[in-house]
Amino acid sequence: MKKEGNASTPYDPHLLARLVEGAQRGDALAMDELLGVLAPYVGRICGPVALQDGADAAQETLITVFRGIRQLKEPAALLGWVRTIAVREALKFAGRRRRQPTVPVEWEEPPASADLHLASDLADALYRLAPEHRVVLMLRHVEGLSEQEVSALLEIPVGTVRSRLFRARRSFRSAWG
């Protein structure tokens, strides 16, 4: 498995670059293969932040990516560019949800019965966190970005990232326990 930045992808950077270039030319096969690479990646970012709206945030992210793919000047920057869009969309959906009545998280594919209780507890603990706390946790611990990278991506000071991480971890532990 190759890595670009901190994002894992099963494709080497040269193949990804060729797919981007093909998509920029309008090649439907390249677009389809690129979608196959990006959909799980985007879902992994949007899901923990936007929770039950994760699929909608991921869909909006992919629409934005494919509408703007021709403006991407450096194909090697694809995953970082997509990550930025995914975080923005996930936070947007999470913010909308915060202002609306809540409903329980529904699983697209229910976890195995043995894991159902654990998955439910995890979802509940994440749900109790503010979106700005979920996003720093996800970027730091799922995507593996440094505090400085999270700071740059979210356009907030490193100190703010650290304080949000501290509060997010404390709140998560409290909700989990």
Side-chain angles (χ1 to χ4, degrees):
M1 185 162 294
K2 299 278 184 176
K3 282 194 159 221
E4 187 270 15
N6 290 315
S8 297
T9 177
Y11 295 97
D12 68 53
H14 301 313
L15 179 57
L16 257 183
R18 285 197 307 271
L19 290 175
V20 169
E21 291 163 359
Q24 288 175 325
R25 288 190 311 272
D27 178 342
L29 291 175
M31 291 172 115
D32 185 56
E33 193 167 346
L34 194 55
L35 180 63
V37 172
L38 295 179
Y41 176 66
V42 166
R44 194 176 74 229
I45 294 169
C46 292
V49 177
L51 299 177
Q52 65 262 36
D53 293 321
D56 291 336
Q59 181 177 358
E60 285 302 315
T61 297
L62 293 168
I63 289 169
T64 301
V65 165
F66 282 96
R67 282 185 179 157
I69 194 83
R70 287 192 169 112
Q71 278 65 49
L72 182 64
K73 294 183 184 350
E74 185 53 51
L78 174 71
L79 295 178
W81 178 63
V82 170
R83 181 188 309 121
T84 300
I85 295 168
V87 166
R88 184 182 65 228
E89 290 297 331
L91 284 171
K92 187 182 345 173
F93 274 85
R96 286 183 197 153
R97 175 65 60 181
R98 186 189 283 178
R99 294 182 296 273
Q100 296 174 352
T102 58
V103 294
V105 174
E106 292 182 22
W107 301 97
E108 286 184 21
E109 293 181 31
S113 61
D115 297 333
L116 189 56
H117 185 67
L118 176 63
S120 177
D121 287 349
L122 180 60
D124 183 57
L126 278 174
Y127 186 78
R128 292 175 189 222
L129 298 179
E132 56 271 11
H133 291 162
R134 288 193 304 263
V135 75
V136 295
L137 274 179
M138 184 274 306
L139 290 172
R140 183 76 178 97
H141 296 293
V142 176
E143 285 298 299
L145 299 181
S146 70
E147 291 172 350
Q148 293 75 20
E149 291 169 317
V150 173
S151 168
L153 180 63
L154 297 177
E155 298 176 348
I156 57 176
V158 174
T160 302
V161 170
R162 289 183 181 136
S163 67
R164 286 182 184 176
L165 277 169
F166 174 80
R167 288 185 188 106
R169 290 172 182 146
R170 185 180 61 199
S171 296
F172 186 83
R173 278 191 294 269
S174 173
W176 184 259

